[in-house]
Amino acid sequence: MPDRTHDFGRYGAQGERGSQAAARVLDSLAGGITSPVTTRRGLSARLRYLTRSRSGHNAMRQAGITVTPRTLKAWLTGKQRPNKANLAKIDAAYWALRRRNVARYLLQRLNADGGTRVEIHPLDQSHVPTPRQRVMEYRRLNIRNWDAIIDAWARGDARTLDDAWIDQIVNLGSQWGKYEYVSSVGFAA
């Protein structure tokens, strides 16, 4: 059984951790506000989403937004604009809350009917010298239990998400270490 990759990219391979690619796909499945937070529309939509509930206010507090109710009202009405640091915190709070809110739905969707098929596209070896290239092919895997992956993704815990992802790709067999880093991942969801 191969060990985890310790020196990725040493010979020119390009890609990203499979867990990062999976998180990006989960983010796209979660949907959400597509307008950037820097636009008036994007900022207004995020602030409305965050201020509708107690959990939204908690998400803002956890993201480090510590403004007075008066300032928050000025942001909501458009009379005042947050600085760059607060814009980034608002965006982070929005996505953290969005992930938590859709996690249960995604878990149900991905676990339904015996799991979801995942397509794993191998890393890019075009810059790796020929003697050091590995034979890698496109792989498919049916993940039947998404609980740990969705839980880590919803909490924004990258390390736990990576561990949960590795626990699943081990099912590829003895060559699973080749697919720790990938060019992309797709879900049949």
Side-chain angles (χ1 to χ4, degrees), residues 99-128:
R99 284 185 194 108
R100 283 194 301 261
N101 287 344
V102 301
R104 191 172 350 142
Y105 161 75
L106 279 179
L107 184 61
Q108 184 179 20
R109 180 178 171 186
L110 295 173
N111 280 339
D113 300 324
T116 300
R117 181 172 297 247
V118 175
E119 299 173 349
I120 302 173
H121 298 264
L123 53 92
D124 178 14
Q125 296 187 85
S126 60
H127 300 295
V128 177

PDB file of all heavy atoms in Angstrom, residues 99-128:
ATOM      1  N   ARG A  99     -22.474  26.660   3.573  1.00  0.00           N
ATOM      2  CA  ARG A  99     -22.061  25.247   3.645  1.00  0.00           C
ATOM      3  C   ARG A  99     -22.820  24.513   4.748  1.00  0.00           C
ATOM      4  O   ARG A  99     -23.280  23.391   4.551  1.00  0.00           O
ATOM      5  CB  ARG A  99     -20.564  25.152   3.886  1.00  0.00           C
ATOM      6  CG  ARG A  99     -19.744  25.436   2.675  1.00  0.00           C
ATOM      7  CD  ARG A  99     -18.262  25.208   2.949  1.00  0.00           C
ATOM      8  NE  ARG A  99     -17.479  25.789   1.900  1.00  0.00           N
ATOM      9  CZ  ARG A  99     -16.745  26.890   2.027  1.00  0.00           C
ATOM     10  NH1 ARG A  99     -16.687  27.512   3.192  1.00  0.00           N
ATOM     11  NH2 ARG A  99     -16.071  27.362   1.009  1.00  0.00           N
ATOM     12  N   ARG A 100     -22.911  25.140   5.921  1.00  0.00           N
ATOM     13  CA  ARG A 100     -23.633  24.494   7.030  1.00  0.00           C
ATOM     14  C   ARG A 100     -25.105  24.295   6.690  1.00  0.00           C
ATOM     15  O   ARG A 100     -25.701  23.287   7.047  1.00  0.00           O
ATOM     16  CB  ARG A 100     -23.487  25.317   8.309  1.00  0.00           C
ATOM     17  CG  ARG A 100     -22.138  25.154   8.970  1.00  0.00           C
ATOM     18  CD  ARG A 100     -22.143  25.692  10.382  1.00  0.00           C
ATOM     19  NE  ARG A 100     -22.480  27.092  10.464  1.00  0.00           N
ATOM     20  CZ  ARG A 100     -21.596  28.085  10.584  1.00  0.00           C
ATOM     21  NH1 ARG A 100     -20.318  27.821  10.634  1.00  0.00           N
ATOM     22  NH2 ARG A 100     -21.997  29.340  10.663  1.00  0.00           N
ATOM     23  N   ASN A 101     -25.707  25.272   6.009  1.00  0.00           N
ATOM     24  CA  ASN A 101     -27.129  25.188   5.703  1.00  0.00           C
ATOM     25  C   ASN A 101     -27.468  24.128   4.662  1.00  0.00           C
ATOM     26  O   ASN A 101     -28.557  23.560   4.700  1.00  0.00           O
ATOM     27  CB  ASN A 101     -27.671  26.546   5.243  1.00  0.00           C
ATOM     28  CG  ASN A 101     -27.803  27.529   6.385  1.00  0.00           C
ATOM     29  OD1 ASN A 101     -27.781  27.157   7.546  1.00  0.00           O
ATOM     30  ND2 ASN A 101     -27.933  28.794   6.050  1.00  0.00           N
ATOM     31  N   VAL A 102     -26.573  23.872   3.715  1.00  0.00           N
ATOM     32  CA  VAL A 102     -26.886  22.899   2.653  1.00  0.00           C
ATOM     33  C   VAL A 102     -26.247  21.537   2.889  1.00  0.00           C
ATOM     34  O   VAL A 102     -26.464  20.617   2.114  1.00  0.00           O
ATOM     35  CB  VAL A 102     -26.498  23.423   1.249  1.00  0.00           C
ATOM     36  CG1 VAL A 102     -27.220  24.700   0.920  1.00  0.00           C
ATOM     37  CG2 VAL A 102     -25.012  23.582   1.116  1.00  0.00           C
ATOM     38  N   ALA A 103     -25.485  21.396   3.957  1.00  0.00           N
ATOM     39  CA  ALA A 103     -24.771  20.131   4.205  1.00  0.00           C
ATOM     40  C   ALA A 103     -25.721  18.947   4.310  1.00  0.00           C
ATOM     41  O   ALA A 103     -25.476  17.887   3.718  1.00  0.00           O
ATOM     42  CB  ALA A 103     -23.915  20.236   5.465  1.00  0.00           C
ATOM     43  N   ARG A 104     -26.799  19.096   5.043  1.00  0.00           N
ATOM     44  CA  ARG A 104     -27.744  17.988   5.219  1.00  0.00           C
ATOM     45  C   ARG A 104     -28.359  17.579   3.875  1.00  0.00           C
ATOM     46  O   ARG A 104     -28.491  16.409   3.576  1.00  0.00           O
ATOM     47  CB  ARG A 104     -28.830  18.380   6.211  1.00  0.00           C
ATOM     48  CG  ARG A 104     -29.688  17.219   6.636  1.00  0.00           C
ATOM     49  CD  ARG A 104     -30.645  17.550   7.754  1.00  0.00           C
ATOM     50  NE  ARG A 104     -30.377  18.850   8.356  1.00  0.00           N
ATOM     51  CZ  ARG A 104     -31.312  19.683   8.770  1.00  0.00           C
ATOM     52  NH1 ARG A 104     -32.564  19.359   8.692  1.00  0.00           N
ATOM     53  NH2 ARG A 104     -31.001  20.840   9.298  1.00  0.00           N
ATOM     54  N   TYR A 105     -28.733  18.565   3.058  1.00  0.00           N
ATOM     55  CA  TYR A 105     -29.296  18.284   1.735  1.00  0.00           C
ATOM     56  C   TYR A 105     -28.276  17.559   0.849  1.00  0.00           C
ATOM     57  O   TYR A 105     -28.602  16.564   0.201  1.00  0.00           O
ATOM     58  CB  TYR A 105     -29.753  19.583   1.069  1.00  0.00           C
ATOM     59  CG  TYR A 105     -29.903  19.464  -0.415  1.00  0.00           C
ATOM     60  CD1 TYR A 105     -30.986  18.786  -0.961  1.00  0.00           C
ATOM     61  CD2 TYR A 105     -28.962  20.003  -1.277  1.00  0.00           C
ATOM     62  CE1 TYR A 105     -31.119  18.657  -2.330  1.00  0.00           C
ATOM     63  CE2 TYR A 105     -29.086  19.876  -2.637  1.00  0.00           C
ATOM     64  CZ  TYR A 105     -30.170  19.202  -3.165  1.00  0.00           C
ATOM     65  OH  TYR A 105     -30.295  19.074  -4.524  1.00  0.00           O
ATOM     66  N   LEU A 106     -27.040  18.061   0.824  1.00  0.00           N
ATOM     67  CA  LEU A 106     -26.011  17.416   0.001  1.00  0.00           C
ATOM     68  C   LEU A 106     -25.713  16.002   0.478  1.00  0.00           C
ATOM     69  O   LEU A 106     -25.514  15.098  -0.333  1.00  0.00           O
ATOM     70  CB  LEU A 106     -24.727  18.240   0.000  1.00  0.00           C
ATOM     71  CG  LEU A 106     -24.684  19.429  -0.940  1.00  0.00           C
ATOM     72  CD1 LEU A 106     -23.363  20.167  -0.802  1.00  0.00           C
ATOM     73  CD2 LEU A 106     -24.913  19.007  -2.369  1.00  0.00           C
ATOM     74  N   LEU A 107     -25.681  15.808   1.776  1.00  0.00           N
ATOM     75  CA  LEU A 107     -25.434  14.481   2.328  1.00  0.00           C
ATOM     76  C   LEU A 107     -26.517  13.508   1.876  1.00  0.00           C
ATOM     77  O   LEU A 107     -26.216  12.402   1.420  1.00  0.00           O
ATOM     78  CB  LEU A 107     -25.373  14.543   3.851  1.00  0.00           C
ATOM     79  CG  LEU A 107     -25.035  13.255   4.573  1.00  0.00           C
ATOM     80  CD1 LEU A 107     -23.651  12.768   4.160  1.00  0.00           C
ATOM     81  CD2 LEU A 107     -25.085  13.467   6.064  1.00  0.00           C
ATOM     82  N   GLN A 108     -27.742  13.935   1.964  1.00  0.00           N
ATOM     83  CA  GLN A 108     -28.854  13.083   1.529  1.00  0.00           C
ATOM     84  C   GLN A 108     -28.764  12.799   0.026  1.00  0.00           C
ATOM     85  O   GLN A 108     -28.958  11.670  -0.414  1.00  0.00           O
ATOM     86  CB  GLN A 108     -30.172  13.779   1.861  1.00  0.00           C
ATOM     87  CG  GLN A 108     -31.397  12.972   1.564  1.00  0.00           C
ATOM     88  CD  GLN A 108     -32.661  13.742   1.947  1.00  0.00           C
ATOM     89  OE1 GLN A 108     -32.651  14.970   2.073  1.00  0.00           O
ATOM     90  NE2 GLN A 108     -33.734  13.019   2.143  1.00  0.00           N
ATOM     91  N   ARG A 109     -28.434  13.824  -0.747  1.00  0.00           N
ATOM     92  CA  ARG A 109     -28.347  13.682  -2.212  1.00  0.00           C
ATOM     93  C   ARG A 109     -27.205  12.754  -2.625  1.00  0.00           C
ATOM     94  O   ARG A 109     -27.368  11.906  -3.496  1.00  0.00           O
ATOM     95  CB  ARG A 109     -28.146  15.072  -2.815  1.00  0.00           C
ATOM     96  CG  ARG A 109     -28.026  15.102  -4.308  1.00  0.00           C
ATOM     97  CD  ARG A 109     -27.881  16.531  -4.773  1.00  0.00           C
ATOM     98  NE  ARG A 109     -27.560  16.601  -6.178  1.00  0.00           N
ATOM     99  CZ  ARG A 109     -27.275  17.711  -6.806  1.00  0.00           C
ATOM    100  NH1 ARG A 109     -27.306  18.858  -6.160  1.00  0.00           N
ATOM    101  NH2 ARG A 109     -26.968  17.695  -8.084  1.00  0.00           N
ATOM    102  N   LEU A 110     -26.048  12.898  -1.999  1.00  0.00           N
ATOM    103  CA  LEU A 110     -24.879  12.106  -2.392  1.00  0.00           C
ATOM    104  C   LEU A 110     -24.944  10.673  -1.880  1.00  0.00           C
ATOM    105  O   LEU A 110     -24.389   9.763  -2.499  1.00  0.00           O
ATOM    106  CB  LEU A 110     -23.596  12.794  -1.929  1.00  0.00           C
ATOM    107  CG  LEU A 110     -23.306  14.139  -2.593  1.00  0.00           C
ATOM    108  CD1 LEU A 110     -22.118  14.813  -1.931  1.00  0.00           C
ATOM    109  CD2 LEU A 110     -23.084  14.000  -4.080  1.00  0.00           C
ATOM    110  N   ASN A 111     -25.591  10.451  -0.744  1.00  0.00           N
ATOM    111  CA  ASN A 111     -25.720   9.095  -0.199  1.00  0.00           C
ATOM    112  C   ASN A 111     -26.871   8.311  -0.816  1.00  0.00           C
ATOM    113  O   ASN A 111     -26.956   7.092  -0.644  1.00  0.00           O
ATOM    114  CB  ASN A 111     -25.907   9.135   1.323  1.00  0.00           C
ATOM    115  CG  ASN A 111     -24.607   9.318   2.069  1.00  0.00           C
ATOM    116  OD1 ASN A 111     -23.540   9.054   1.549  1.00  0.00           O
ATOM    117  ND2 ASN A 111     -24.710   9.791   3.297  1.00  0.00           N
ATOM    118  N   ALA A 112     -27.767   8.988  -1.526  1.00  0.00           N
ATOM    119  CA  ALA A 112     -28.964   8.339  -2.075  1.00  0.00           C
ATOM    120  C   ALA A 112     -28.602   7.254  -3.087  1.00  0.00           C
ATOM    121  O   ALA A 112     -27.587   7.336  -3.793  1.00  0.00           O
ATOM    122  CB  ALA A 112     -29.857   9.382  -2.739  1.00  0.00           C
ATOM    123  N   ASP A 113     -29.422   6.232  -3.153  1.00  0.00           N
ATOM    124  CA  ASP A 113     -29.296   5.148  -4.140  1.00  0.00           C
ATOM    125  C   ASP A 113     -27.933   4.470  -4.116  1.00  0.00           C
ATOM    126  O   ASP A 113     -27.365   4.142  -5.156  1.00  0.00           O
ATOM    127  CB  ASP A 113     -29.593   5.663  -5.553  1.00  0.00           C
ATOM    128  CG  ASP A 113     -31.001   6.217  -5.671  1.00  0.00           C
ATOM    129  OD1 ASP A 113     -31.913   5.654  -5.024  1.00  0.00           O
ATOM    130  OD2 ASP A 113     -31.198   7.215  -6.395  1.00  0.00           O
ATOM    131  N   GLY A 114     -27.367   4.287  -2.951  1.00  0.00           N
ATOM    132  CA  GLY A 114     -26.108   3.556  -2.836  1.00  0.00           C
ATOM    133  C   GLY A 114     -24.856   4.379  -3.054  1.00  0.00           C
ATOM    134  O   GLY A 114     -23.770   3.839  -3.232  1.00  0.00           O
ATOM    135  N   GLY A 115     -24.963   5.687  -3.050  1.00  0.00           N
ATOM    136  CA  GLY A 115     -23.784   6.534  -3.176  1.00  0.00           C
ATOM    137  C   GLY A 115     -23.730   7.276  -4.492  1.00  0.00           C
ATOM    138  O   GLY A 115     -24.662   7.246  -5.289  1.00  0.00           O
ATOM    139  N   THR A 116     -22.616   7.938  -4.717  1.00  0.00           N
ATOM    140  CA  THR A 116     -22.420   8.756  -5.909  1.00  0.00           C
ATOM    141  C   THR A 116     -21.109   8.387  -6.571  1.00  0.00           C
ATOM    142  O   THR A 116     -20.082   8.226  -5.912  1.00  0.00           O
ATOM    143  CB  THR A 116     -22.410  10.251  -5.521  1.00  0.00           C
ATOM    144  OG1 THR A 116     -23.667  10.564  -4.919  1.00  0.00           O
ATOM    145  CG2 THR A 116     -22.200  11.136  -6.720  1.00  0.00           C
ATOM    146  N   ARG A 117     -21.148   8.289  -7.885  1.00  0.00           N
ATOM    147  CA  ARG A 117     -19.949   7.981  -8.653  1.00  0.00           C
ATOM    148  C   ARG A 117     -19.066   9.226  -8.751  1.00  0.00           C
ATOM    149  O   ARG A 117     -19.552  10.315  -9.017  1.00  0.00           O
ATOM    150  CB  ARG A 117     -20.311   7.519 -10.062  1.00  0.00           C
ATOM    151  CG  ARG A 117     -19.090   7.170 -10.893  1.00  0.00           C
ATOM    152  CD  ARG A 117     -19.508   6.554 -12.184  1.00  0.00           C
ATOM    153  NE  ARG A 117     -20.192   5.308 -11.882  1.00  0.00           N
ATOM    154  CZ  ARG A 117     -19.715   4.120 -12.210  1.00  0.00           C
ATOM    155  NH1 ARG A 117     -18.606   4.006 -12.862  1.00  0.00           N
ATOM    156  NH2 ARG A 117     -20.373   3.028 -11.889  1.00  0.00           N
ATOM    157  N   VAL A 118     -17.785   9.032  -8.529  1.00  0.00           N
ATOM    158  CA  VAL A 118     -16.805  10.107  -8.598  1.00  0.00           C
ATOM    159  C   VAL A 118     -15.833   9.783  -9.723  1.00  0.00           C
ATOM    160  O   VAL A 118     -15.339   8.664  -9.823  1.00  0.00           O
ATOM    161  CB  VAL A 118     -16.036  10.232  -7.251  1.00  0.00           C
ATOM    162  CG1 VAL A 118     -14.941  11.263  -7.352  1.00  0.00           C
ATOM    163  CG2 VAL A 118     -16.989  10.560  -6.131  1.00  0.00           C
ATOM    164  N   GLU A 119     -15.565  10.772 -10.562  1.00  0.00           N
ATOM    165  CA  GLU A 119     -14.583  10.624 -11.628  1.00  0.00           C
ATOM    166  C   GLU A 119     -13.312  11.338 -11.199  1.00  0.00           C
ATOM    167  O   GLU A 119     -13.351  12.502 -10.818  1.00  0.00           O
ATOM    168  CB  GLU A 119     -15.117  11.234 -12.921  1.00  0.00           C
ATOM    169  CG  GLU A 119     -16.379  10.582 -13.416  1.00  0.00           C
ATOM    170  CD  GLU A 119     -16.974  11.303 -14.605  1.00  0.00           C
ATOM    171  OE1 GLU A 119     -16.535  12.435 -14.922  1.00  0.00           O
ATOM    172  OE2 GLU A 119     -17.889  10.745 -15.209  1.00  0.00           O
ATOM    173  N   ILE A 120     -12.204  10.647 -11.267  1.00  0.00           N
ATOM    174  CA  ILE A 120     -10.929  11.211 -10.841  1.00  0.00           C
ATOM    175  C   ILE A 120     -10.020  11.316 -12.062  1.00  0.00           C
ATOM    176  O   ILE A 120      -9.700  10.314 -12.700  1.00  0.00           O
ATOM    177  CB  ILE A 120     -10.266  10.337  -9.759  1.00  0.00           C
ATOM    178  CG1 ILE A 120     -11.210  10.207  -8.561  1.00  0.00           C
ATOM    179  CG2 ILE A 120      -8.933  10.919  -9.343  1.00  0.00           C
ATOM    180  CD1 ILE A 120     -10.743   9.234  -7.510  1.00  0.00           C
ATOM    181  N   HIS A 121      -9.630  12.541 -12.379  1.00  0.00           N
ATOM    182  CA  HIS A 121      -8.742  12.783 -13.513  1.00  0.00           C
ATOM    183  C   HIS A 121      -7.325  12.952 -12.970  1.00  0.00           C
ATOM    184  O   HIS A 121      -7.091  13.788 -12.096  1.00  0.00           O
ATOM    185  CB  HIS A 121      -9.186  14.021 -14.284  1.00  0.00           C
ATOM    186  CG  HIS A 121     -10.563  13.864 -14.854  1.00  0.00           C
ATOM    187  ND1 HIS A 121     -10.788  13.460 -16.135  1.00  0.00           N
ATOM    188  CD2 HIS A 121     -11.784  14.033 -14.297  1.00  0.00           C
ATOM    189  CE1 HIS A 121     -12.086  13.397 -16.355  1.00  0.00           C
ATOM    190  NE2 HIS A 121     -12.714  13.733 -15.244  1.00  0.00           N
ATOM    191  N   PRO A 122      -6.386  12.173 -13.460  1.00  0.00           N
ATOM    192  CA  PRO A 122      -5.036  12.175 -12.882  1.00  0.00           C
ATOM    193  C   PRO A 122      -4.333  13.519 -13.046  1.00  0.00           C
ATOM    194  O   PRO A 122      -4.722  14.346 -13.852  1.00  0.00           O
ATOM    195  CB  PRO A 122      -4.319  11.076 -13.661  1.00  0.00           C
ATOM    196  CG  PRO A 122      -5.087  10.899 -14.909  1.00  0.00           C
ATOM    197  CD  PRO A 122      -6.491  11.296 -14.608  1.00  0.00           C
ATOM    198  N   LEU A 123      -3.276  13.680 -12.264  1.00  0.00           N
ATOM    199  CA  LEU A 123      -2.506  14.910 -12.301  1.00  0.00           C
ATOM    200  C   LEU A 123      -1.834  15.104 -13.658  1.00  0.00           C
ATOM    201  O   LEU A 123      -1.699  14.167 -14.444  1.00  0.00           O
ATOM    202  CB  LEU A 123      -1.467  14.921 -11.177  1.00  0.00           C
ATOM    203  CG  LEU A 123      -0.525  13.713 -11.097  1.00  0.00           C
ATOM    204  CD1 LEU A 123       0.729  13.956 -11.875  1.00  0.00           C
ATOM    205  CD2 LEU A 123      -0.211  13.445  -9.660  1.00  0.00           C
ATOM    206  N   ASP A 124      -1.407  16.324 -13.927  1.00  0.00           N
ATOM    207  CA  ASP A 124      -0.767  16.687 -15.191  1.00  0.00           C
ATOM    208  C   ASP A 124       0.730  16.393 -15.100  1.00  0.00           C
ATOM    209  O   ASP A 124       1.435  16.993 -14.297  1.00  0.00           O
ATOM    210  CB  ASP A 124      -1.008  18.172 -15.470  1.00  0.00           C
ATOM    211  CG  ASP A 124      -0.345  18.654 -16.744  1.00  0.00           C
ATOM    212  OD1 ASP A 124       0.074  17.818 -17.568  1.00  0.00           O
ATOM    213  OD2 ASP A 124      -0.259  19.888 -16.925  1.00  0.00           O
ATOM    214  N   GLN A 125       1.195  15.484 -15.938  1.00  0.00           N
ATOM    215  CA  GLN A 125       2.616  15.109 -15.948  1.00  0.00           C
ATOM    216  C   GLN A 125       3.344  15.636 -17.178  1.00  0.00           C
ATOM    217  O   GLN A 125       4.433  15.176 -17.501  1.00  0.00           O
ATOM    218  CB  GLN A 125       2.753  13.589 -15.929  1.00  0.00           C
ATOM    219  CG  GLN A 125       2.216  12.950 -14.684  1.00  0.00           C
ATOM    220  CD  GLN A 125       2.527  11.482 -14.668  1.00  0.00           C
ATOM    221  OE1 GLN A 125       3.610  11.081 -14.252  1.00  0.00           O
ATOM    222  NE2 GLN A 125       1.584  10.668 -15.119  1.00  0.00           N
ATOM    223  N   SER A 126       2.771  16.602 -17.878  1.00  0.00           N
ATOM    224  CA  SER A 126       3.371  17.081 -19.127  1.00  0.00           C
ATOM    225  C   SER A 126       4.741  17.731 -18.911  1.00  0.00           C
ATOM    226  O   SER A 126       5.550  17.776 -19.836  1.00  0.00           O
ATOM    227  CB  SER A 126       2.436  18.052 -19.828  1.00  0.00           C
ATOM    228  OG  SER A 126       2.165  19.177 -19.022  1.00  0.00           O
ATOM    229  N   HIS A 127       5.028  18.208 -17.704  1.00  0.00           N
ATOM    230  CA  HIS A 127       6.320  18.843 -17.421  1.00  0.00           C
ATOM    231  C   HIS A 127       7.293  17.904 -16.702  1.00  0.00           C
ATOM    232  O   HIS A 127       8.382  18.317 -16.329  1.00  0.00           O
ATOM    233  CB  HIS A 127       6.109  20.103 -16.586  1.00  0.00           C
ATOM    234  CG  HIS A 127       5.252  21.119 -17.255  1.00  0.00           C
ATOM    235  ND1 HIS A 127       5.614  21.763 -18.411  1.00  0.00           N
ATOM    236  CD2 HIS A 127       4.020  21.597 -16.945  1.00  0.00           C
ATOM    237  CE1 HIS A 127       4.665  22.594 -18.781  1.00  0.00           C
ATOM    238  NE2 HIS A 127       3.672  22.503 -17.901  1.00  0.00           N
ATOM    239  N   VAL A 128       6.897  16.676 -16.515  1.00  0.00           N
ATOM    240  CA  VAL A 128       7.736  15.693 -15.835  1.00  0.00           C
ATOM    241  C   VAL A 128       8.611  14.998 -16.883  1.00  0.00           C
ATOM    242  O   VAL A 128       8.114  14.583 -17.928  1.00  0.00           O
ATOM    243  CB  VAL A 128       6.868  14.648 -15.091  1.00  0.00           C
ATOM    244  CG1 VAL A 128       7.728  13.573 -14.450  1.00  0.00           C
ATOM    245  CG2 VAL A 128       6.004  15.332 -14.054  1.00  0.00           C
TER     246      VAL A 128
END
